Amino acid sequence: MKRTMNLLIALVMVIVLIGGCAKTVESEETTAKDETNDEAVVSTDKEEPAETADPVTIKFFTGKVETVDLMNDLIDKFNAANPGIIVQQEFQKDASNVIKVKFASGDVPDITTVVTQDYIDQGKYLDLTNEVWWDRIDPAIRDLCTDVKTGNQYRVASNMTMAGLYYNKEIFEDLGLGEATTWAEFENDLTKIKDNYSDVAPFFMGGKDSWMLGHLIEFMAHGVIKQELGIKESKIALLANDDSKIHLGDVGGPMESFAAAILSTRDKGLFNSDFLTATYDNQIEAFAMGKAAVISQGMWALGGILEMNPEMTGNIGFMPYPSIKEGTKPVILSAEDSAYAITTDSEHPAEAKKFLDYLFEVNNMVTYSEFVKSPSAFTDVSADWGPLKDEVAHALAAGIHIGFTNESPSGFSGDDAGRMVQELYVGEYESSEAFAKAYKETWDKAWNASNN
Amino acid sequence: MKQFSYKIIRLVIIVSIALMALFPFYVLAILALTPSSVNFSEKLILLPRLYFDNFFEAWKISNIGQAIMNSLIITVGAVILVVVFGSMAGYAVARVKNKINNAMFLIMLGCMMIPGIINTVPLYTLMISIGGINTHWAMIMVLATNAMPFSVFLYSGFIKGLPITIEEAAIIDGCSKIGAYFRVVFPLLKPVTSAVIIINGLSIWNNYAQSVFFLQQQSMKTIPLAISMFFQQYGAKWHLMAAASMIGLAPAVLTFIIFQKYFIKGITAGSVKG
Amino acid sequence: MLLKNRIISKLHYYMIVPAFLLFTIFFIYPLLRGIGLSLTDYDGMTKANFVGLDNFIEFFNDKRALNDMKTTMLFALGSAPLLNIFGFLYALLLDRKFIGKSVIRTIIYLPAVISPLIMGYIWYFILQPQRGFVYSIIESVSSNAVEFNWLGNSTMALWVIIIVNVWQFVGMTMVIYLAGLQAIPEELHEAGKIDGATYLQSIRYITLPMMIQPIKINVITNIIGSLAVFDIIIALTDGGPGYSTESLSIYIMRKCYGSFTGYSTAVAIILFFIVLIPVIISFKYLNSKNVEM
């Protein structure tokens, strides 16, 4: 009896000790604000990384699921070539929310792809305006990375991406369909597809993944604002919640037109029947297998589609989003992608920059661009980034260029917006006006919370 | 005759219930044992072809080996804390009856009604200030704390049902009261200890709502977190997911099957008395 | 007496201290801070300002929050009774000696061993329209399968979640009821039979009154557990479509992540009261039915 008791006590002590040792290891790596770490910062800044005894850990936090594996490969090569530095990638699907927790807890990543206006305003990211990378980057991209409030760049984008409507060329040619410029035309085309191809979903959306629906809002609904005001003005108006310019709650405004379009398409049965439970992966699969005629996606999806069915290569068409409001034109997303920021709380900015230097090397950028199938922002990188080069060029010429909406208030994410679209689809709102009003209400509430 | 047909009906019902319970495992197994190339939009084959490669691939990609280690460390650590501290507290409540002990017991019981999520948020700020995020030891303490009230309850109920004569005999023989506890009472607590170990062990092993807050680093993730991340990352690859889940579930399921006899005895003891 | 012996002989007074100490640090202290936080507008980053009861008032003005409260309560109202009814029925069925009894008992309990999150994912796969398991079966049997999308319909989705939850945990309830049934002396039932009681009557007048303790344990644990439901909803519907199946726990987590830390703590306190009231009611009611041996 005594022995078992002693054994148990010993076990408890061992566990606590192990736990304690684990703790000391963790606290060496985490960026807690205490003196020992301050000393470490000073010494690594002054010395070459190779000279310090402990390797420097760089935490890279990303929300981009498609690039996780590729980045890990690149990271492994970097780590091997730089023995004093260890880069670790962490992926979270809900990255834009998780990063708030990270900042609050002191578990701050060194490099991240998640950049929000709130945090820029609070000075959480290093000012990268004077980095050498910009010399090799297309000035138009540099513009897109510029913070409208300060005129500085807090993030560097390595690629451009486009988003619009992918369509199955075969089906379109078979039915003699062109590229619709208005939503009404578009619905007509979809109806023809529905009538002639009974087991193909005319317009397939993965409604369970609210971010996808959030994108529809960013591109189609906000697209109205962005083209009417111009890119820079629209950013300013959105940030200031200037209702006289953005008209969020109005009939005939962007949100109402958007809701009306969605409701109309739904009522005509032109969406996939499992709109609410289908996911991004379902959508990609459906399109790759020819079971979906049109999908709304970005270039980031191309890799997945072709991996599933390489024969789709010649069969993918790409067109801008038809306009949803009288007097507006089709829009296409042409924006910066794969942007990286370094946090001010990072204790190893030099090493972080070294990693970015490595990442931005020409051959790595070629590999990256070809993988994500989108053009590089670097002028000296010519990658064969994809079979859709022609289609994309054509679509870019056919639509007004708009960017992502980075100006949403921090309590109202793309995910939240997407959920409102789910509610819209289910019939929670009696009319498209009701949707517009609810959207404005939610936007205002979130905006007031972060701007009081 | 009537008796006989009742028996048959009862048997059929019982077997159907059991089959229903096994259904999810069955689906999981089919998924895990079919190669990814088989699209499940084809008619599902009810007899799986035995294809074990999924397990190897899933193991590699999901890093579930590390997750198992994390889950193991945390679960074992927390369970030990719960058993040692909980049994001592249960003894105190059952045998050393004074106002303070009663008060503490009632407080803990009352707090049992507070769902874990409630103090997760302020606990988070606490964890930050003691540097407990992404650590094993902090997670162990948090989960042990959550499991404590129910375990103390089970222990106290059981101990109350033990005849006090054995302890009195030990004291007459010269033992201190606390010595009496360790030498005499604790060994008798085996049934309830096994129940406590299994109930709490399982819920700690499967814990998601707290772990998702406090264990964010890849290297620290436990099994539920690893699988959910896997789901987010490879949402389409159901076969790999099923394989990873099976690997993750296996320890819990096996442990339960092996120890279920003790578990049942313990539940019986704890829930009928007290 | 030696000092050492004197200390040891008094040690037993402190036996509750380790447990309680742990509990105080990791539960009571955060709880008190939480109550404090709920009166502020803390967002996890900037300074916290005292706002009094604003958070609570805002909760009752937020359509989504009220809806979540309704969803959570509906879930509990659906789950808890079903869990107890089926658990009890199954226990009655299994309360004989027969070969393989412990095997069957283990099998029925087994789903409860899996994390609800994983169980949710499994069921999500099973129920997916177009590609799920159930769909394949329905498709091979009838040709009207196209309109089936239970998880995409707000009301159906909640029922699905309830059923999956009951499915998973009915074993747990059953085991506790079985333990209670076994504790009833056989003589009571025999006496009843002699007096001419039917099976149903013997259940009502003999079995049930003796089962107050297990009923108490089950009902209370089920109420607490159902009102805090989290994992299984995330896996099955992620709170959707929209927010229609979002539970209060999920709402709290999302608001906390979304920088409304003070607010989410307030909601957590509200949730506590939502749990407290039914528990106290059930407790009192069941206590009043206590039967003395």
Side-chain angles (χ1 to χ4, degrees), chain C residues 13-32:
Chain C
Y13 284 116
Y14 301 101
M15 285 182 76
I16 199 174
V17 169
F20 197 68
L21 195 62
L22 188 70
F23 195 72
T24 309
I25 299 178
F26 286 96
F27 198 91
I28 300 189
Y29 171 66
L31 184 63
L32 295 174

Side-chain angles (χ1 to χ4, degrees), chain C residues 2-71:
Chain C
L2 287 176
L3 183 63
K4 173 181 133 192
N5 285 343
R6 259 213 288 205
I7 294 180
I8 291 185
S9 70
K10 298 273 189 258
L11 264 183
H12 63 272
Y13 284 116
Y14 301 101
M15 285 182 76
I16 199 174
V17 169
F20 197 68
L21 195 62
L22 188 70
F23 195 72
T24 309
I25 299 178
F26 286 96
F27 198 91
I28 300 189
Y29 171 66
L31 184 63
L32 295 174
R33 272 195 87 171
I35 298 181
L37 266 183
S38 71
L39 302 172
T40 68
D41 68 351
Y42 188 51
D43 63 356
M45 297 182 285
T46 58
K47 192 161 99 50
N49 307 312
F50 184 77
V51 294
L53 295 175
D54 276 3
N55 287 332
F56 295 93
I57 299 178
E58 183 173 333
F59 176 80
F60 289 103
N61 280 332
D62 182 348
K63 210 180 85 166
R64 173 180 164 195
L66 292 176
N67 202 40
D68 290 352
M69 188 164 77
K70 193 176 89 173
T71 307

Side-chain angles (χ1 to χ4, degrees), chain A residues 113-409:
Chain A
T113 60
V114 184
V115 180
T116 60
Q117 187 68 43
D118 264 6
Y119 285 125
I120 295 182
D121 294 340
Q122 287 177 34
K124 294 283 190 191
Y125 306 109
L126 284 185
D127 183 1
L128 301 174
T129 316
N130 299 316
E131 296 299 323
V132 297
W133 307 311
W134 296 114
D135 298 339
R136 298 163 49 210
I137 293 184
D138 187 330
I141 308 271
R142 187 173 189 172
D143 263 355
L144 288 169
C145 292
T146 307
D147 170 37
V148 286
K149 287 190 182 173
T150 59
N152 296 332
Q153 288 88 39
Y154 294 96
R155 57 194 179 122
V156 186
S158 70
N159 284 69
M160 298 197 52
T161 189
M162 275 66 97
L165 296 176
Y166 286 133
Y167 61 89
N168 187 314
K169 270 193 187 165
E170 240 180 81
I171 297 183
F172 268 53
E173 273 163 29
D174 181 45
L175 298 177
L177 302 176
E179 294 183 355
T181 49
T182 68
W183 198 260
E185 275 173 47
F186 185 56
E187 285 186 339
N188 280 339
D189 291 346
L190 291 177
T191 314
K192 282 201 201 119
I193 299 177
K194 177 168 171 210
D195 293 337
N196 286 291
Y197 287 82
S198 57
D199 63 341
V200 168
F203 190 8
F204 196 113
M205 280 301 297
K208 184 170 193 244
D209 285 334
S210 28
W211 61 266
M212 243 199 283
L213 299 175
H215 272 175
L216 281 186
I217 289 199
E218 283 186 37
F219 308 155
M220 289 171 56
H222 293 173
V224 171
I225 302 178
K226 292 168 190 171
Q227 62 173 291
E228 285 183 343
L229 297 177
I231 298 280
K232 186 149 180 234
E233 283 304 312
S234 64
K235 283 189 192 232
I236 298 180
L238 284 168
L239 277 177
N241 198 6
D242 187 346
D243 197 51
S244 66
K245 298 217 171 99
I246 57 182
H247 303 295
L248 286 179
D250 300 354
V251 178
M255 307 319 301
E256 195 264 321
S257 315
F258 171 74
I262 298 286
L263 288 176
S264 154
T265 314
R266 175 198 71 175
D267 292 337
K268 297 196 173 104
L270 299 172
F271 283 120
N272 46 319
S273 59
D274 58 346
F275 181 95
L276 287 168
T277 49
T279 62
Y280 169 73
D281 297 300
N282 297 144
Q283 185 200 48
I284 301 298
E285 189 186 335
F287 188 74
M289 300 303 173
K291 297 271 181 223
V294 182
I295 62 174
S296 155
Q297 266 307 336
M299 303 299 295
W300 54 79
L302 200 48
I305 298 177
L306 294 179
E307 191 190 328
M308 226 178 266
N309 183 3
E311 293 169 31
M312 273 302 275
T313 317
N315 194 11
I316 306 180
F318 192 56
M319 61 186 259
Y321 295 97
S323 80
I324 53 172
K325 180 179 161 185
E326 273 283 324
T328 60
K329 293 205 170 139
V331 290
I332 184 166
L333 177 89
S334 169
E336 75 289 6
D337 185 53
S338 303
Y340 307 92
I342 303 182
T343 54
T344 33
D345 290 334
S346 163
E347 299 185 350
H348 310 291
E351 285 77 4
K353 287 186 191 172
K354 196 161 182 202
F355 177 70
L356 288 181
D357 284 337
Y358 163 79
L359 190 61
F360 296 154
E361 282 173 16
V362 176
N363 50 334
N364 288 332
M365 283 286 94
V366 170
T367 313
Y368 187 86
S369 306
E370 291 183 350
F371 180 82
V372 297
K373 310 254 183 305
S374 64
S376 173
F378 289 92
T379 47
D380 54 357
V381 170
S382 68
D384 181 19
W385 51 266
L388 288 200
K389 257 182 155 155
D390 292 333
E391 282 74 7
V392 169
H394 157 87
L396 283 175
I400 309 253
H401 296 196
I402 59 169
F404 288 108
T405 310
N406 294 322
E407 296 77 30
S408 303

